[in-house]
Amino acid sequence: MSLTPTTKAGAAFRELLDVLRDADATFLAGPRAVADAVSVAEGYRHLTHLLGYALDLYLESDPERPSFTPLASPTRKILGDNVDSRYFFTAINGTRAYRISGRRGNDVYLSFCIYGGKPDGEWSERVVANVSQRDITFEEDGSFAL
């Protein structure tokens, strides 16, 4: 059977549901299993946070019109972020050029880092470029453009 775009979307959605169906095995069985009810509830809470991030960072992201999405909030966090820092993410197309403009507030440190990754969204640790406040020319009002 040849898949039409509609059935491809349905197949992808069912595949997501299959992944989610078994995702709790990471904290319900094996060496990382938890036993108490609070830890089990926190495991499910963490899974919903990861799903929320996946939807925000990849499903709703458009590399043709990037928009920065926070990687932490008072109720959600991902990875090992520094509690004193604010992190944002956006997906970009490596074949395009982009302009970032803004106004620096009273932040102690400002940096833009591009990680080289795979189109499937797998997290990457390969830094392609990094620009910090030392590399940025700020106008008197704190505005800048890269």
Side-chain angles (χ1 to χ4, degrees):
M1 172 174 113
S2 174
L3 292 179
T4 64
T6 303
T7 57
K8 284 182 183 180
F13 185 73
R14 285 186 292 283
E15 185 178 337
L16 171 63
L17 293 177
D18 289 341
V19 168
L20 291 174
R21 188 173 295 108
D22 300 329
D24 58 359
T26 61
F27 61 86
L28 293 178
R32 300 176 78 191
V34 296
D36 63 284
V38 171
S39 295
V40 170
E42 285 297 319
Y44 285 112
R45 182 176 183 223
H46 183 67
L47 286 177
T48 60
H49 287 184
L50 293 176
L51 176 61
Y53 277 118
L55 297 174
D56 290 345
L57 301 181
Y58 294 102
L59 179 65
E60 299 300 333
S61 181
D62 181 0
E64 300 302 317
R65 292 168 195 80
S67 177
F68 290 107
T69 300
L71 284 181
S73 76
T75 59
R76 292 192 328 178
K77 70 179 254 28
I78 189 171
L79 303 173
D81 49 82
N82 177 340
V83 296
D84 295 326
S85 296
R86 294 181 299 161
Y87 297 90
F88 296 86
F89 173 91
T90 191
I92 61 173
N93 179 332
T95 65
R96 300 291 305 263
Y98 299 95
R99 179 181 185 86
I100 300 171
S101 60
R103 180 167 289 125
R104 183 177 185 182
N106 59 0
D107 297 319
V108 174
Y109 182 74
L110 175 65
S111 175
F112 295 91
C113 189
I114 299 174
Y115 291 89
K118 299 176 184 175
D120 66 2
E122 182 179 325
W123 284 104
S124 172
E125 294 181 5
R126 182 173 57 93
V127 175
V128 175
N130 188 48
V131 176
S132 76
Q133 80 274 356
R134 295 179 183 150
D135 308 305
I136 301 171
T137 301
F138 295 95
E139 300 299 326
E140 283 199 31
D141 66 353
S143 62
F144 66 93
L146 301 172

